[in-house]
Amino acid sequence: MPRKPADQTVRREDILLAAAAVFRERGYAGATMAHIARRVRLTAGSLYHHFPAGKQDLLLAVLNVGMDTVIAQLEAILAQNLPPAETLRRMIEAHAMAVTQNVSVGAAMVFEIRTLIKLPPDDPSAAERDAFLARRDKFERLFRVVIERGIQEGVFRPVDVGLFTKALLGAQNWIGVWYREDGKLRGEQIAAHMAETFLAALGCFCSKTDASD
Amino acid sequence: MPRKPADQTVRREDILLAAAAVFRERGYAGATMAHIARRVRLTAGSLYHHFPAGKQDLLLAVLNVGMDTVIAQLEAILAQNLPPAETLRRMIEAHAMAVTQNVSVGAAMVFEIRTLIKLPPDDPSAAERDAFLARRDKFERLFRVVIERGIQEGVFRPVDVGLFTKALLGAQNWIGVWYREDGKLRGEQIAAHMAETFLAALGCFCSKTDASD
Amino acid sequence: MPRKPADQTVRREDILLAAAAVFRERGYAGATMAHIARRVRLTAGSLYHHFPAGKQDLLLAVLNVGMDTVIAQLEAILAQNLPPAETLRRMIEAHAMAVTQNVSVGAAMVFEIRTLIKLPPDDPSAAERDAFLARRDKFERLFRVVIERGIQEGVFRPVDVGLFTKALLGAQNWIGVWYREDGKLRGEQIAAHMAETFLAALGCFCSKTDASD
Amino acid sequence: MPRKPADQTVRREDILLAAAAVFRERGYAGATMAHIARRVRLTAGSLYHHFPAGKQDLLLAVLNVGMDTVIAQLEAILAQNLPPAETLRRMIEAHAMAVTQNVSVGAAMVFEIRTLIKLPPDDPSAAERDAFLARRDKFERLFRVVIERGIQEGVFRPVDVGLFTKALLGAQNWIGVWYREDGKLRGEQIAAHMAETFLAALGCFCSKTDASD
DNA sequence: CATGAATGAGAGTTCATTCAT
DNA sequence: GATGAATGAACTCTCATTCAT
């Protein structure tokens, strides 16, 4: 009754991406372990070898991977200490690229936070959930801070930073909803256009400074 | 506008709003008929008197109500034949207001289109589903057209209209995700800020023309 | 898809007895909801209408019913304030009768306490579990007290009351294991013999005093 | 008595005891191969090297070991041809000691016979099961015979031998349920008290004859 | 011998839906 | 209209068991 000749071993990450894809297509609640398993040619039960805590665990893993990737990139950009406009441009582009490069994970971050929040407070994953939400807030703050700095320095038009950030992130998150890997728009184009749009919205039409990084 | 016996009308709409609220909180797949029924003090079975086709029917009804409202408002604005900048401002504001005034319905429109798309093609509701998706496309086109016109007339900075519209709608849809009825931001403020942001992004800083409508 | 023409309604108690019977035959862990359901001509899912908390709930209900019955009878006997030997005889007989009259429930009380104890401490039923265990201890104490009194009064041979009670209850509980409703021994015979055996073991061969009750 | 390579023998017995312990704690149906394996620091799969027929095999092995021990001891006592009262006393004590010395195995014999009986008739272990049940009946008969003889010889009060034996074995079996290795009662005390109780119940208060064995 | 990965057969439970009352 | 009881299909998760390594 067992199978799989070892050359075709399924790795944790494969399952994770499969889960993300299924979550994107059908939503967490609409996704079944069987859906996920089928993508990696396993049976539903076998997933529990890799993610003993089950579906919930899988969701948290997906979200964390996504957040890890994005935060790492943003922090790398911030570490360069570029001027606000350039920093924001790169952040928007990096974020948009991340979303298009792994739409499924991005979509999960957009759509399934709600699922997380509905977790009963006595759930064993509650701690991990809180940790994730904290990181998400931190992520949002990274954008806020840059925008605030730009306004203070007079490079950006004064705006309600909270509202503006929500608008920006809404637009960016939404990419994961409509973007098709096989569509005509490439990630770079989308990223560039997004940056341009929101920098313009901040009254900053300065062309891309080609700082050799 | 003649009405059916008041009680009934109210009942149906109550259920609809209850459904929208539950869909917002738990997602379509995570919502149960019992959740919805409890909100209107009925039992799950009783809902079938009002929505014979069941859960799916409820979702479509919610989405249609939402779309009806928004499209009606947008068309009223377009009928006024105002200049593109002013038209767009009002459209954005009207849309944002609609989202904040009935967050649940708005959230359903954001989150549950996916559910609709996954409908098996042999489903009896497939026709209604297609009708809805067509109207959603029409809705998006209303924005596109105005933006295109503004660019042609030179009032707006030239942008990729498709991408720009996606960004705009992403930001607007996202409102339904973070907006709290009991929060400190009122719908008007949000609406105004959204309009300002995206008009600015189009290079149009003209202050609100107070055309007496 | 629904069924059952109302004349054949299944009552809560029917399910309870069915559960007890299945628990007796296969043990709690070995019993399935389907086994229980089949006995009352329902499907497994339907049991959740009557016992929303499921299998665990069913076990606790069975145990509580059993304990209720026995304790009530014992207390009635104690209330008569008869001399220790007569009291003990009647208690043993009443207990034995209770066991033979509802073997399944009795067996559950014997075999499934263990199941209860293994309940994780964060289980929602933990409180009910504790309540049950407390009542079981009280039940055991009823016997102890009578035996102690008899020893003090010199009617009973001095024995280790704790150990003696365990022996007595072990013998009584065991009835539920071997007793067959269709066997040749009637409950009364068993009850009388048990009383006689343990009164004899206490050095008390006094014949049954026929106090007209 | 020549032994197999020491390691193996030990291994097999370790597993057996581990199984008995787990069966006692959680019942056969509630025990998993993983539970058992963990106790001997193996994985579930590895158990199949030692007990190829799996869980069922383990149970039968546990029960047989228990029965072997007890029957051997009882037969040794019977072989001494002592008078009935003394024989019975020693049998009761030996049995009680066996139960307290290996509670887990004893508990399995008490609780898991039921499991055995539910074995489907086409099960490969059915023959072994029947053999075990036969030995259990033989075991019970050993007690019966001694009691009968005692009655015939007039040393014991006349009782219903079947019922009396059930009472005796019930009390003895029950020890395995309440006995705690770390409790205040030692096996010898329990054994002595049990013997005393049931000899008293047979009207035989003769003190322990200290036949030097 | 031991393990880790896998399987397949349930088990408990949930839920949309139906229908007699 | 409304309800309560019922169904059947699905879903998450568990587990004995197998086998390549």
Side-chain angles (χ1 to χ4, degrees):
Chain A
M1 297 177 194
R3 214 69 54 80
K4 285 273 139 57
D7 54 318
Q8 213 186 350
T9 322
V10 176
R11 280 157 319 138
R12 216 187 118 91
E13 203 193 317
D14 296 338
I15 296 176
L16 215 133
L17 293 177
V22 177
F23 290 159
R24 185 196 186 201
E25 282 176 24
R26 331 177 84 103
Y28 176 80
T32 75
M33 293 302 270
H35 290 143
I36 299 170
R38 196 167 314 124
R39 291 225 169 195
V40 286
R41 310 221 173 207
L42 284 181
T43 59
S46 305
L47 295 181
Y48 289 81
H49 262 289
H50 303 275
F51 292 85
K55 204 176 159 187
Q56 200 132 238
D57 207 14
L58 228 22
L59 174 58
L60 274 163
V62 166
L63 295 177
N64 277 323
V65 160
M67 195 54 91
D68 285 348
T69 314
V70 175
I71 289 199
Q73 287 188 285
L74 294 190
E75 289 187 332
I77 293 168
L78 286 166
Q80 294 181 273
N81 271 319
L82 299 167
E86 185 55 22
T87 304
L88 185 58
R89 173 194 302 282
R90 293 190 184 197
M91 285 172 71
I92 294 177
E93 286 181 0
H95 184 208
M97 288 300 291
V99 171
T100 56
Q101 266 154 29
N102 207 331
V103 219
S104 306
V105 173
M109 288 202 285
V110 174
F111 284 112
E112 306 305 348
I113 303 281
R114 177 177 52 174
T115 309
L116 235 47
I117 292 174
K118 273 282 161 187
L119 258 187
D122 60 320
D123 191 284
S125 317
E128 232 190 309
R129 184 258 317 259
D130 293 340
F132 176 79
L133 292 179
R135 294 175 69 213
R136 186 204 49 168
D137 291 345
K138 178 185 164 188
F139 159 78
E140 186 168 333
R141 231 172 300 123
L142 294 181
F143 279 97
R144 266 179 215 261
V145 167
V146 176
I147 296 169
E148 268 158 12
R149 187 150 33 100
I151 295 175
Q152 277 165 9
E153 296 186 10
V155 217
F156 295 158
R157 178 172 77 84
V159 296
D160 178 319
V161 179
L163 263 175
F164 189 89
T165 308
K166 293 288 190 201
L168 166 58
L169 293 182
Q172 298 267 90
N173 285 334
W174 199 244
I175 297 172
V177 178
W178 55 263
Y179 178 73
R180 300 283 151 233
E181 252 118 0
D182 52 357
K184 56 182 183 304
L185 282 167
R186 297 232 331 289
E188 285 83 359
Q189 291 174 268
I190 298 172
H193 193 274
M194 282 291 168
E196 201 183 292
T197 299
F198 283 92
L199 282 171
L202 287 167
C204 178
F205 297 91
C206 34
S207 66
K208 187 171 181 176
T209 46
D210 210 333
S212 56
D213 44 302
Chain B
M1 292 182 195
R3 297 230 170 199
K4 307 252 167 70
D7 291 19
Q8 284 196 27
T9 309
V10 170
R11 240 0 181 185
R12 223 190 108 93
E13 199 177 308
D14 289 349
I15 294 173
L16 215 132
L17 292 177
V22 176
F23 290 159
R24 186 195 185 201
E25 282 176 24
R26 330 178 85 103
Y28 177 80
T32 75
M33 294 300 270
H35 288 144
I36 298 169
R38 199 169 311 125
R39 291 225 171 195
V40 287
R41 309 216 173 216
L42 286 180
T43 57
S46 307
L47 295 181
Y48 288 79
H49 288 295
H50 303 275
F51 291 85
K55 204 176 161 187
Q56 203 126 237
D57 205 16
L58 269 167
L59 175 58
L60 275 163
V62 166
L63 295 177
N64 277 322
V65 160
M67 196 54 91
D68 285 349
T69 314
V70 174
I71 289 200
Q73 287 188 285
L74 294 189
E75 289 188 331
I77 292 168
L78 286 165
Q80 294 181 274
N81 271 318
L82 299 168
E86 185 55 22
T87 304
L88 185 58
R89 174 193 300 282
R90 294 191 183 196
M91 285 172 72
I92 294 177
E93 287 182 0
H95 184 209
M97 288 299 292
V99 170
T100 57
Q101 267 155 26
N102 206 332
V103 219
S104 304
V105 173
M109 288 201 286
V110 174
F111 284 114
E112 306 305 348
I113 302 282
R114 179 174 51 174
T115 309
L116 235 47
I117 292 174
K118 276 282 160 186
L119 260 190
D122 60 320
D123 192 283
S125 316
E128 231 190 311
R129 183 259 317 261
D130 293 340
F132 175 80
L133 293 178
R135 293 173 70 212
R136 187 203 50 168
D137 292 345
K138 176 184 165 190
F139 159 78
E140 187 168 332
R141 231 172 301 123
L142 294 182
F143 279 96
R144 263 179 216 260
V145 168
V146 177
I147 295 169
E148 269 158 10
R149 187 148 35 98
I151 296 174
Q152 277 165 9
E153 296 186 9
V155 219
F156 296 158
R157 181 171 75 84
V159 297
D160 179 318
V161 179
L163 263 176
F164 189 89
T165 309
K166 294 289 191 200
L168 167 58
L169 293 182
Q172 298 268 89
N173 285 334
W174 198 243
I175 297 173
V177 177
W178 56 262
Y179 179 72
R180 299 284 150 234
E181 251 119 358
D182 53 358
K184 57 183 182 301
L185 283 167
R186 298 230 334 287
E188 284 83 1
Q189 292 174 269
I190 298 171
H193 194 274
M194 282 292 168
E196 199 183 293
T197 298
F198 284 93
L199 283 171
L202 288 167
C204 179
F205 297 91
C206 35
S207 66
K208 186 172 182 177
T209 46
D210 209 334
S212 57
D213 47 301
Chain C
M1 300 178 194
R3 216 68 55 78
K4 283 272 138 57
D7 53 319
Q8 215 185 348
T9 322
V10 176
R11 280 156 318 138
R12 215 187 119 92
E13 203 192 319
D14 296 338
I15 297 176
L16 215 133
L17 292 177
V22 177
F23 291 159
R24 186 195 186 200
E25 282 175 23
R26 332 178 83 104
Y28 176 79
T32 75
M33 293 302 270
H35 289 141
I36 299 170
R38 197 168 316 123
R39 292 224 171 197
V40 286
R41 312 222 171 207
L42 284 181
T43 59
S46 305
L47 295 180
Y48 289 80
H49 262 290
H50 304 275
F51 292 86
K55 204 176 160 188
Q56 200 132 239
D57 206 14
L58 229 22
L59 174 58
L60 275 163
V62 167
L63 296 177
N64 276 322
V65 160
M67 197 52 92
D68 285 348
T69 314
V70 174
I71 289 199
Q73 287 188 286
L74 295 189
E75 288 187 331
I77 293 167
L78 287 164
Q80 295 181 273
N81 271 319
L82 300 167
E86 185 54 23
T87 305
L88 184 58
R89 174 194 302 281
R90 293 190 185 197
M91 285 173 71
I92 295 177
E93 286 181 2
H95 184 208
M97 288 300 292
V99 171
T100 56
Q101 267 154 28
N102 208 331
V103 220
S104 306
V105 173
M109 288 201 283
V110 174
F111 284 112
E112 305 305 347
I113 302 281
R114 177 177 52 174
T115 309
L116 234 47
I117 291 174
K118 274 282 162 187
L119 258 188
D122 60 319
D123 191 284
S125 317
E128 232 190 309
R129 183 260 315 261
D130 292 341
F132 176 79
L133 292 179
R135 295 174 68 213
R136 186 204 49 169
D137 291 346
K138 177 185 163 190
F139 159 77
E140 186 168 333
R141 231 173 299 124
L142 294 181
F143 279 96
R144 265 180 215 259
V145 168
V146 176
I147 296 168
E148 269 158 11
R149 188 149 32 99
I151 295 174
Q152 276 165 11
E153 296 185 11
V155 219
F156 296 158
R157 180 171 75 83
V159 296
D160 178 320
V161 179
L163 263 175
F164 189 89
T165 309
K166 294 290 191 200
L168 167 58
L169 293 183
Q172 299 267 89
N173 285 334
W174 199 244
I175 297 172
V177 178
W178 56 262
Y179 179 72
R180 300 283 152 231
E181 252 118 359
D182 52 0
K184 56 183 183 304
L185 284 166
R186 299 232 330 286
E188 285 83 359
Q189 292 174 268
I190 298 172
H193 193 274
M194 281 291 168
E196 200 183 291
T197 299
F198 284 91
L199 282 171
L202 287 167
C204 180
F205 298 91
C206 35
S207 67
K208 186 172 181 176
T209 47
D210 209 333
S212 56
D213 45 303
Chain D
M1 290 182 195
R3 297 230 170 200
K4 307 253 166 68
D7 290 19
Q8 284 194 28
T9 309
V10 171
R11 246 348 188 191
R12 221 189 110 92
E13 199 176 310
D14 288 349
I15 294 173
L16 215 132
L17 292 177
V22 176
F23 290 158
R24 186 197 185 199
E25 282 176 23
R26 330 178 85 104
Y28 176 79
T32 75
M33 293 302 271
H35 288 144
I36 298 168
R38 198 170 311 125
R39 291 225 171 195
V40 285
R41 309 217 173 216
L42 286 179
T43 57
S46 307
L47 295 181
Y48 288 80
H49 288 294
H50 303 275
F51 291 85
K55 205 176 161 188
Q56 203 126 235
D57 206 14
L58 270 168
L59 175 58
L60 275 163
V62 167
L63 295 177
N64 277 322
V65 160
M67 196 54 90
D68 286 348
T69 315
V70 175
I71 289 199
Q73 288 188 284
L74 294 189
E75 289 186 331
I77 293 168
L78 286 165
Q80 294 180 275
N81 270 318
L82 299 167
E86 185 55 23
T87 305
L88 185 58
R89 174 194 301 283
R90 294 193 183 195
M91 286 172 71
I92 295 177
E93 286 181 1
H95 183 210
M97 288 299 291
V99 171
T100 56
Q101 266 155 28
N102 207 330
V103 218
S104 304
V105 173
M109 288 200 285
V110 174
F111 285 114
E112 307 305 348
I113 303 282
R114 179 174 52 175
T115 309
L116 235 48
I117 292 174
K118 276 284 159 186
L119 260 189
D122 60 321
D123 192 284
S125 315
E128 231 190 311
R129 182 260 316 260
D130 292 340
F132 176 80
L133 293 178
R135 294 174 69 214
R136 186 202 50 168
D137 291 345
K138 176 184 165 190
F139 159 78
E140 186 168 332
R141 230 171 301 123
L142 294 180
F143 279 97
R144 264 181 217 258
V145 168
V146 177
I147 296 168
E148 268 157 12
R149 189 150 31 99
I151 295 174
Q152 277 164 10
E153 296 186 11
V155 219
F156 295 158
R157 180 172 75 85
V159 296
D160 178 320
V161 179
L163 263 175
F164 189 89
T165 310
K166 294 289 189 200
L168 167 58
L169 293 182
Q172 299 268 89
N173 285 334
W174 197 243
I175 296 172
V177 177
W178 55 262
Y179 179 71
R180 300 284 150 233
E181 251 118 359
D182 53 358
K184 55 183 182 304
L185 282 166
R186 298 232 331 288
E188 285 83 0
Q189 292 174 268
I190 297 171
H193 193 275
M194 281 292 168
E196 198 184 295
T197 298
F198 284 92
L199 283 170
L202 288 167
C204 179
F205 297 91
C206 35
S207 66
K208 186 173 181 177
T209 46
D210 209 332
S212 57
D213 47 304

